[in-house]
Structure formats: structure tokens, C-alpha cells
Amino acid sequence: MKTKRLSSRLALCLGLLLLSLAGFAQTKTVTGTVTNETGSPVQGASVKAVGTTTGASTGEDGSFELNIPSTVTQLEVSYVGYVSQTVSIAGLSVVKVQLKPANDAALDEVVVIGYGEVKKKDLTGAVASISAKDFNKGVITAPDQLIQGKTPGVMIINNTGQPGGSTTVKIRGNSSIRAGNNPLFVLDGIPLSGTSARPGGSGGFSTDGGNPLTYLNPSDIASIDILKDASATAIYGSRGANGVVIITTKRAKTGEPTLNLGASVGISNLLKKPDVLNGSAFRKAIQNYTPDDVATSDFGSNVDAFDAITRKAPTQNYYGDITGGTENGRYRLSLGHLDQSGIIKNSDLKKYTANLSSSFKFLENKRLGLDVNLLVTQTNENLAPIDVGVGFTGNVISQALQWNPTRPLYDENGNRTYVSSNQINPMTSLAAYKDKAVVNTIVASVSPYYKITDDLEYKLIYSVTRQTGERTGRYIAGMIDSSQVENGMAFVSNNTETDQQLTQTLSYNKQLSDDLSLNAVAGYEFLDYKYYWNSESGSGFNYNGLDFYDYLNYSTANNRSINSYRDPSNQLQSFFLRASFNYLQRYLLTATIRRDGSTKFGENNRYANFPSLAFAWNVSNEPFLKNSRIVNQLKLRLGWGETGNSAFPSGASRDRFTFGTQSITQANFGNPDLKWEASNTLNAGIDFALFNSRLSGSLDYFNKKTTDALFESIIAQPAPPSGKLWVNLPGEVSNKGFELSLTGNIVSKKDWNWNLTVNGTYIQNNVSGLTGYYTTAALRGQGFSGVLGQRMVNGQPLNVWYLAKFAGIDPTTGTSMYVAKDGTVGTPTNDAKYDPALNKFYVGSPNPKYLLGITTDVTYKKFTATFNMNGAFGHYLFNNTMATVLGLSNLPGRNIGSYYDNPSLNESVSNSASASTRYLEKGDYMKMSNITLSYRVGNIGNTIKNLNVSLTGQNLFVLTGYNGFDPEVNTDGSDADIPSLGIEYLPYPPARTILLGVNFSL
């Protein structure tokens, strides 16, 4: 009886188990069609069952069929040039999907505006949003390079071709005389310090500071939003004067685990360099200019020294991420590795990144949530000896340019050729210097939030950013000068930066009535930045095969140095409030106020308020335009706001002292009245979309005025000689101009799609109200010691060039002629009144007056070609390389620029260079920044999904009349920490790169 009962129970359980398995295995068939905005079928659209890896592509008639688990309730449909849609299929077996063009959907895209989000159609300020699909392609080491040329009003300069090298980023021009001009960068709600923990270099070692954002992996970035006017940036108060760049990384997605993989390999070579003489041309020049030196200056070879120090540099980049989970618990983990060799030998960058993001919801009502993010990066660099502060002996760049092309670089025994301690073989410099830098970065944040009601939410963000940097360098002096064989030098430097953030916000989003909605956020923020460094150096080494920095204690005791520094307290406490009203979907009003208190400022002005107000009118939602067949969008915007600038050293308002060897010196005198540098901006704009959104764009006028400029001045005697005092200068810096962006969908057919986007900017910069003037722009090289080439002065743009006017070569003496103050022309040799040092004029601005960006993409079936160009016009660059490195006075011992291969110049080899307009060149250029050809293979079987293969050319060519390395350059020529702009002096040269890439999902 028991056996029978047991058998019955076993049969019942088995039946239930089989029934459950059958339920789990149950599938359903879903069919449907996909059409475009005109109702025409879309072939090749991707249709995927959400939460699975099952998908299909539509046929010629736009139809598809899927066999999917019965538990699936949503399909995701996507196609190039159209907005991806998620469609519910609950209870349905047949669906129809009509895709919207990307231009239409752009109005519904969510834009990050600081402490919140808003739909693009509801924006009241000047904000540009760029998504990952529109980023620049190629070897990208930092996120600012992703958006170069992509939006009006934003100038991005790659200061150097060095892997991971520094950039200059300016939004709507220069505004500050002494404080920083770079925008504030915000990463997933974390305001970044804008500094790097990589120690600096000098004394022949690389002096490029590197890009402080190199630790970010561009493949992790989902979008970049740029806040340009004060009505948008005032929410960031004292740090928003130069604009705000908000970086949003990719987030976790729900569904079964999905693995995305990508890889690229490429090769880089030299893009451009100054034109110098080859061996035969050099011999001819010697015969023309110094015929008596032919026998002693011609060594019988034809050597390209610049070719010898450069190489075809390989690059490898690998990336992968895995994401998945449910609505209540999602995760995303990504890993990346970049290995980029520099085109200068002995230089490279290796970067390792890991990024973990997760999101959880708790409680039965799921109102409690928690986001946790962790980013870990290590960058390893080998740096070439390119110091822009070098003297007569130059760095490896000038040594290669000046090398006598008839002299072999190696002797018959394979040893590097030695000339003298003043004429250095560039291959020797590469061997004598060894320079390594390692930076480790951790960015961790935890963000709990609670939805108090359906309309009210509280959120907290606590983040820690920790960077440690170590740099080690050694110099074998005996390689350069045999008499210095026992005077080798080495150093070890360590930097540490720890930043903490605590931000609390209360957000309210309520439809108050059928006609009126309110979106508001109130918050409190506390930021703490700590920075310190220490370094040890020594000299007196004799090279024995070991790198000196590994045993610094072996150096000569009297030649050892120990230095350390810690930043004074740098804390910011803030309260802020923003409210946005939307009435009838037509009238939009946004008001913002932020109150900042900073330890950087004097005790009498520690706190300041930063308000803004913006209004927008959605004209296209008015009854008289709502059903227009021509006007799809028309919005007018008007905004005003005030922001501040605190990008200057902490402790500037206090008494500060420096420590020497058993000595203390007061270096800074306190100023309790030091206050914020403030910028007021008025912005008026119009956004439009026409002809079924086939043509869309925006036009903005801006007028920005900066007052109370922060400046470090020298105190008059009898104060200590090194005594400095920070003050607010009288006067005003203005930037005003126009921005235009146009996007056209030129062709939109079944197999063909062609989009074209053009953006342009006009900026006029001017200084007024200053007392006196301020100088900067250190010009370097032989005969240029202590020469400054730019001024900050009334009635001129910031950094205006202040140089002598070159008037040609005197045919009688072969020396340079200059214009005197009275307008006459002559040579200093004949009349001292023509001395170029005494006759200087305002001769042009280094600030581009016009910026231009062009992007176009053409798609034919599965092929896509994308072209990106960017350029700048209406500015002047000083070719410091030509002025002091490639002059005719090099003959007969060194090489010269091909400019001088022209005896009709009648120039004398004894003619000396001067800081004059002879070397001031137009900086106009248009650069083909990248071209990408891609083929969308699609799915291969049931394993490989969304396979895409691409070929990218980066920095392919540049259209310019500039004779230097690259018109996109900005060698640091700051003096007394007053920044310069527009100098080219012996930079790391630019590279052209060809890159083959592949990416797919599993």
C-alpha cells in the first residue's frame, strides 16, 4: 500500500516537473514589419528580443520573424540614421514598427545639465550634446579629443603629438589673464580637479604636462554634454566661468549577460615637419653663402637625422565589457588596454583600465536605490627628452633639425658620432636620457537614493578620487660631453592627490496642472582637494650600467636635493537651487542660484552668489505652427547668468612661506579682500528643424564679460624680493560672437543615407579698463633670452602679439630691416633708432577669430563612410623654431631651413634673428582629423552578434600655409604663470595614423 502511494506521489511529482519544464521551454512566434517615417519598408533593420541574444534582420519588404521564449515582452528595433525603439509585444504575435529619423528623436533625447537631466526640447540654455556614435575615431587617449570640431564655440588644440600629451580646451574664447581658462570637467556627477598627479619635468627632460583626463577610457564614455552659457553653467557657480563639460559613462543594461568586445591595431608615422636642406642642397648653400668652409663642412654623406629619431609606431587597443541583470540589480564591467608607441623613438604610453558600475533597487516598492561605481587605471609612460625650456644646445628635436646632413650619425665602428658639447648628435640624446612616469588612479563613488513620493527624490553622492604619480629620470652626462663623464644626474618625484565629494540633492518633478509642470532641484555640496609632492635628485654619477635613480645615495653629497610641498587647504561648500517651469509646452523658464564658499578666497569675500535666468519659447507648438509641414521645430532662447573662476592656487589669499636650507622666506602676502573673478554672459539663441526635420540647427549670439581678474603681482620694495600678492585687477575682458550649427539629411532612401553637419563660430576678444599692461609668451633660443612676445593691454585681444615689424633684408648689408616708431625703415647697423628691441607694435592675435567643423557620413546598405574635419582661422602663430633653430646663421656647421635656399635674399650669415613679424605666420588651417570606413557584417550564426569592421585614418592631412610642424600647436610659453597662446617651439611632432578595428557582441 505504501509502495503504491509512493509510486502515485512520484508519478505526480514527475508529471508536475515535466509540465514545468514544458512551460519553461514554451516559445512563441512573433512576426512584423518595420517602416520609416514615410511608411516605406526598412531593409536590414535589427530586431532583438529584449533579455535574450535572439535577433533577426528585416528583409526587402521590412518583414521579420522571431521564435522567442514566451516570457519575452519587448523587442528592440534599430537602424542606422533612425532612433532605436523598444516595442511591447505582450499578448501580441504581429507587430508594426515605424521608425523615426534621428533628427526628430533628438528633441526627445535626455541631456545632462548638471545635478539633473532634461529633454533636449525643454532646454533653455546653450547646451551641446554629443553621443558615442558621433565621437571622433582613431587613437584617442582622452575624452576631450572625442569632441574636437564637433560643436561650435569649442576650441580644442592638441598641444603636442606625444602619446597622452596635453591639450588646450577653450569654450567661447579666453576670459582670464592669470587664472585658468580650461572648463570644468564633471565625470558622472563628480567635479574633477583638472590636475594630474604625474610629476613635471625640466632640465632636458620632457616638460609637457600630459592630459589630466588620460586615465579615462574613451570606450567607456556614452555621451559628452557641453554647457556653454552662464544660464546653463551657473549651477556650478564659482567653477563655471569657462564652461562645463559633463562626461557620462556607459551604464549597466538589463537582460541576459552580454559580452561586447573590440580591438584595433594601427601604425603611425610623421605627419609634417619643417622643411630643411638635404645633403646636396646643404652643399649648395655652403658654396653660395660660405664658400671658404666647403672643405671643412662637407662630410660626404646624405643623412636625414629627423628620420633617424622617428619611426613607424605601432598601436594596439583592446576593449571588452560585460553587462546584464534585472531591473532590480544591474551590472557592467569593462576592461581596456592601450599600447601606443610614439613616433619619436623611446617614447610610448601603456594604459590599463577597469570600470565597474552597478545599480540596485530595494524594498518591496523599489523606492530605495543604490548606484556603485569604481574606476581603476594605470598609465605607464616613457618620455622623450623634449624640454621646451632648453638653451643653446636644444633638445632632441632641434638637434635633429640642425644636424649637418652631410655628416654621418654613426662612425665606421657603429659608434654615435661626437661633434661637441654644443652640437649634439640627436641619437646620443635619446640614449643619454631615460624618463619614466607611472600614474595610478582610482575613482570610487557610492550613490544611494530614495523616492520619497512619485514626484520627490532624495539622492546622495559620495566619491573619492585618488591619484598617485611617480616619475624617475636619469641623464648620462658623459655621452653628451666627455669631460662630464662623472657628472650624471638622476631624480625621483612623487605626487599624490586625494579629492573627496559629498553632494546631496532633493529633486521635485511634478505636473502641477494640465498646462503647467515644474522640475526643481535643491542641493548641498562639499568638496575637498588635497595635493602634495616630494622629490629627490642627485648628481655626480659615473655610468656603470645601472640607472642612477635606483641608487641616489651614491651621488655626490653636496649635489643632493630634497624638496617637498603640500597644498594649503582647498575646500568648497555650496548650496544651490534650480527651478524650471513649462507652461503649455510652449513657454519655458529656468532660474538658478548657487552660493559658494571657498577657502581660496579672503575672509572678507569667502562667499559669493551666482544667479542665472533663462527663458525659451517653443514657437512651433503654437497653434499657428503646430501643423506646419515646413517648420517642425522653432524655439527662441534668451538667457543671462553670472559665474565665477577659482582656477588659481589655493592659499593665494593667505600669508605663505617657503622653506630653504635652514631658512624660511615669505613668498606670498595675504589679502583678506581677495574675491572671485566673475563672468556675466548674455545669450540669445534659436533652434529649428525644417522640412520633416531634414534640415535642423541652431544659431546663438553670446556676450561674455569678465571682471575682477585674479592676478599675482610683485610687491614693491622693501618687501622681500620673492614676495607676491594676489589681487583683483580693474578692467574687463569681453568675448562676444556668433555660433551656427547646421545638420542636413541630404539623402534618405532605402539603401542610401547621407548626413552633413557644419558648425562655425565667430569670436571677438577685447581687453579694456586695465591699469598698465602685463606681458607673457617667453620666446626661446639663441639670442632670445628674456624676450616676451605678448601683452595683456587695453584695446587689444588677450595675448596680443607685441613684436618688431620686419621690413625685409637690406641688399647692401644683408641684415634685417625694421620699422621704427615714426614709420621709417632701416637697419640697426646703420641707425640705432631701428633697433627691433625698441620698436615694437601690436601685430595680431593668437586667438582664432573663426572656428569651423565639418562632419559627414554616407551609408550604402551595410557600408558607412564618415569624414570629420576641423579648422581655425584669423589668428597668428609665432614660429619660434624657424626664428632660433633654422636660421641662416647656423652655417656652416648646422643645417638651415629651406626658406634660406634662395641666394636672391642677399642675406648675410651673420644676420641675427629678432622677435619680429618675420616669424609671425598666419595660423589658418583645415585638418582632415579622421576618416572611417566601416562595414556592418551583422550576426554570424547564433554566436557572434553585430560584427562591425572599420578602417580609420587619423590626421590624414592639413591644409595650411603655416611652415612649422603643425598649426594646431600651443607650446607653453607662460611667464610668471601668465599663460601664453600660439607659440611653436620644438614640439613633439604630430602623427598620421591608420587603424584597423573590429567589434562584436557575444
Side-chain angles (χ1 to χ4, degrees), residues 428 607 654 785-786 853:
T428 303
Y607 281 86
R654 305 178 181 180
S785 178

Side-chain angles (χ1 to χ4, degrees), residues 449-453 455-459 505-508:
Y449 57 92
Y450 185 74
K451 208 166 183 62
I452 301 170
T453 69
D455 310 312
L456 186 64
E457 181 179 272
Y458 166 80
K459 185 174 184 178
T505 58
L506 196 62
S507 301
Y508 184 70

Side-chain angles (χ1 to χ4, degrees), residues 224-273:
I224 296 178
D225 298 284
I226 305 169
L227 315 184
K228 294 187 284 188
D229 71 331
S231 69
T233 63
I235 191 69
Y236 288 100
S238 63
R239 298 157 299 154
N242 300 317
V244 180
V245 178
I246 301 177
I247 302 170
T248 303
T249 59
K250 296 175 181 176
R251 303 286 89 185
K253 295 181 179 180
T254 60
E256 294 183 1
T258 300
L259 178 62
N260 302 301
L261 298 171
S264 61
V265 293
I267 195 79
S268 301
N269 58 15
L270 182 67
L271 171 63
K272 188 176 182 285
K273 70 177 179 66

Side-chain angles (χ1 to χ4, degrees), residues 597-808:
S598 172
T599 57
K600 285 187 175 184
F601 292 94
E603 58 187 22
N604 297 333
N605 290 298
R606 187 145 292 172
Y607 281 86
N609 300 319
F610 301 96
S612 75
L613 193 65
F615 171 75
W617 177 23
N618 268 321
V619 184
S620 52
N621 285 344
E622 294 287 354
F624 59 84
L625 272 182
K626 197 164 187 178
N627 297 317
S628 171
R629 295 184 179 182
I630 299 176
V631 179
N632 306 108
Q633 184 208 10
L634 181 61
K635 181 168 69 174
L636 306 180
R637 293 178 281 105
L638 181 65
W640 169 88
E642 183 176 75
T643 51
N645 189 351
S646 58
F648 72 109
S650 59
S653 63
R654 305 178 181 180
D655 291 335
R656 292 179 58 191
F657 301 84
T658 59
F659 293 85
T661 304
Q662 297 299 301
S663 67
I664 300 177
T665 304
Q666 185 165 359
N668 189 80
F669 289 77
N671 180 1
D673 296 319
L674 189 68
K675 60 183 177 180
W676 310 85
E677 180 175 299
S679 293
N680 286 272
T681 303
L682 176 68
N683 192 98
I686 178 171
D687 303 321
F688 58 88
L690 309 172
F691 311 117
N692 201 22
S693 296
R694 296 286 294 272
L695 177 65
S696 61
S698 63
L699 174 66
D700 280 81
Y701 165 78
F702 60 90
N703 191 339
K704 177 180 177 182
K705 297 180 180 180
T706 300
T707 56
D708 295 320
L710 291 160
F711 192 81
E712 185 183 41
S713 61
I714 299 175
I715 300 178
Q717 300 300 317
S722 60
K724 303 290 182 67
L725 175 70
W726 277 87
V727 298
N728 295 103
L729 295 178
E732 178 181 284
V733 179
S734 69
N735 285 281
K736 57 185 177 181
F738 294 90
E739 298 173 350
L740 174 66
S741 178
L742 287 174
T743 297
N745 180 215
I746 300 173
V747 177
S748 179
K749 295 185 177 180
K750 177 181 177 182
D751 294 329
W752 281 97
N753 195 70
W754 179 16
N755 297 305
L756 174 65
T757 297
V758 178
N759 70 78
T761 307
Y762 166 76
I763 302 178
Q764 184 179 2
N765 179 275
N766 188 66
V767 179
S768 62
L770 285 182
T771 302
Y773 60 84
Y774 303 91
T775 57
T776 188
L779 305 179
R780 301 181 173 96
Q782 187 177 10
F784 276 40
S785 178
V787 175
L788 301 177
Q790 293 177 349
R791 281 186 173 184
M792 318 291 186
V793 64
N794 293 333
Q796 299 290 340
L798 276 179
N799 298 96
V800 63
W801 289 111
Y802 188 64
L803 303 168
K805 286 186 179 181
F806 176 71

Side-chain angles (χ1 to χ4, degrees), residues 827-836 838-839:
T827 65
T829 305
N830 299 326
D831 191 336
K833 84 170 187 175
Y834 299 111
D835 185 346
L838 302 177
N839 296 273

